[in-house]
Amino acid sequence: MHVLAVSTSHPYLTPLLYIMCVLSLVNGAFLQTISFWLLSTGSREAAFTYAIIAAGVAHAVTAACTQGNLSNCGCDREKQGYYNQEEGWKWGGCSADIRYGIEFSRRFVDAREIKKNARRLMNLHNNEAGRKVLEERMKLECKCHGVSGSCTTKTCWTTLPKFREIGYILKEKYNAAVQVEVVRASRLRQPTFLKIKQIKSYQKPMETDLVYIEKSPNYCEEDASTGSVGTQGRLCNRTSPNADGCDMMCCGRGYNTHQYTKSVAVQLQISLVLFCEVQHL
């Protein structure tokens, strides 16, 4: 077993730690079986993981730059002093240099993609989709200046969104992920670009779409070849519509309800514990 120890006191590890937590939003069954080996499959879970890691690196580096904790970057120098007469504000404060964070993420995260195959195109697309989602969610904050609370002029600056917001957006894009296939160059037969599968035209996916080339393994059933331990025996929430709910967690196979009593002082508490049930026909 490999154990990763991380100090949570470091403020710039927050997005990267959140990456681990947000994976639980993807698929209740997937959470228990995720592994680096599993990411070798070009599935929608791999697409989500690559996208959120690329976005997380860009977010963490940009935050560190803004707070002056890196020597190679700082505030966005291009957003200083410019006055927007139409909207009545000018740049001020310290704008987050998202372009530096994104470029760092490209150099750091994309560097491993050296094989000229379909999986490389898939990974690079999802990396860029994650960064694009982050860039599009940058926020503009402003402060008024004037006598007696008036707003004669405003100074504005750009700030990073909460990384949790990026996680939820990518979760929705995971749900709507697009299956693609590779288009090869006519001569060298090397992968050139990705197109949406089952569409006769050469329609490419959108920039912020998450894409996958292989269908996901069945996480509901135990399968040593895919690393899946299945969901039989997992605790589930009967009233939840989310991934922890019995309908989703038990993959529609039904579940057992166990009732037990627990005495607390004079009060009698009745609790329901629900387990996934697998019936082999």
Side-chain angles (χ1 to χ4, degrees):
M1 176 178 14
H2 300 280
V3 178
L4 176 64
V6 187
S7 171
T8 56
S9 62
H10 199 296
Y12 309 114
L13 289 176
T14 301
L16 302 180
L17 292 173
Y18 180 67
I19 288 169
M20 302 175 190
C21 297
V22 82
L23 288 172
S24 64
L25 298 173
V26 179
N27 183 314
F30 170 66
L31 173 63
Q32 197 173 24
T33 61
I34 184 171
S35 65
F36 290 108
W37 176 87
L38 186 60
L39 295 182
S40 63
T41 303
S43 64
R44 64 172 66 219
E45 287 78 23
F48 173 86
T49 305
Y50 275 77
I52 201 168
I53 287 175
V57 170
H59 189 286
V61 170
T62 303
C65 292
T66 303
Q67 298 189 25
N69 287 283
L70 295 178
S71 58
N72 295 331
C73 61
C75 305
D76 189 345
R77 294 183 179 180
E78 291 194 5
K79 291 183 174 63
Q80 291 181 358
Y82 177 77
Y83 184 78
N84 188 319
Q85 291 184 341
E86 293 181 0
E87 298 184 17
W89 58 269
K90 63 180 179 179
W91 290 114
C94 180
S95 288
D97 194 352
I98 187 61
R99 288 175 302 172
Y100 182 91
I102 286 176
E103 186 56 35
F104 182 94
S105 175
R106 285 195 185 109
R107 295 196 307 268
F108 181 75
V109 180
D110 295 359
R112 58 186 173 180
E113 305 299 336
I114 55 177
K115 293 183 179 180
K116 295 183 178 181
N117 55 21
R119 184 60 194 273
R120 172 179 177 271
L121 294 179
M122 171 190 154
N123 293 346
L124 290 176
H125 177 96
N126 291 319
N127 289 349
E128 200 61 34
R131 291 186 286 256
K132 189 71 175 175
V133 166
L134 172 62
E135 185 178 25
E136 291 179 350
R137 266 62 184 186
M138 293 294 291
K139 300 182 184 299
L140 185 69
E141 292 188 1
C142 297
K143 182 178 181 180
C144 285
H145 305 277
V147 181
S148 301
S150 64
C151 199
T152 309
T153 60
K154 287 194 298 185
T155 55
C156 302
W157 58 95
T158 56
T159 62
L160 285 165
K162 298 287 186 182
F163 195 69
R164 180 178 294 273
E165 177 185 343
I166 304 303
Y168 282 124
I169 293 170
L170 290 177
K171 165 61 168 54
E172 293 305 313
K173 291 190 174 293
Y174 159 83
N175 291 335
V178 178
Q179 187 171 15
V180 295
E181 59 186 356
V182 71
V183 176
R184 300 182 182 275
S186 56
R187 277 191 169 184
L188 301 177
R189 304 300 297 165
Q190 289 185 349
T192 306
F193 66 91
L194 299 171
K195 80 175 189 71
I196 298 176
K197 196 172 183 178
Q198 296 178 343
I199 292 183
K200 293 182 179 180
S201 64
Y202 289 93
Q203 182 180 345
K204 295 181 180 180
M206 302 291 288
E207 284 185 335
T208 57
D209 282 341
L210 295 190
V211 301
Y212 64 97
I213 54 180
E214 300 174 69
K215 292 185 177 180
S216 302
N218 184 352
Y219 301 114
C220 298
E221 303 289 346
E222 184 177 359
D223 187 347
S225 65
T226 63
S228 173
V229 296
T231 62
Q232 183 177 6
R234 293 280 301 273
L235 292 177
C236 59
N237 184 344
R238 186 177 60 178
T239 60
S240 173
N242 301 316
D244 64 333
C246 291
D247 289 338
M248 185 175 293
M249 180 72 72
C250 300
C251 308
R253 300 168 302 194
Y255 50 89
N256 289 334
T257 302
H258 296 266
Q259 182 172 312
Y260 67 95
T261 59
K262 180 180 179 183
S263 297
V264 181
V266 222
Q267 183 180 2
L268 182 64
Q269 180 178 349
I270 301 178
S271 301
L272 292 177
V273 182
L274 308 174
F275 296 91
C276 296
E277 178 186 24
V278 179
Q279 294 182 347
H280 298 280
L281 300 178

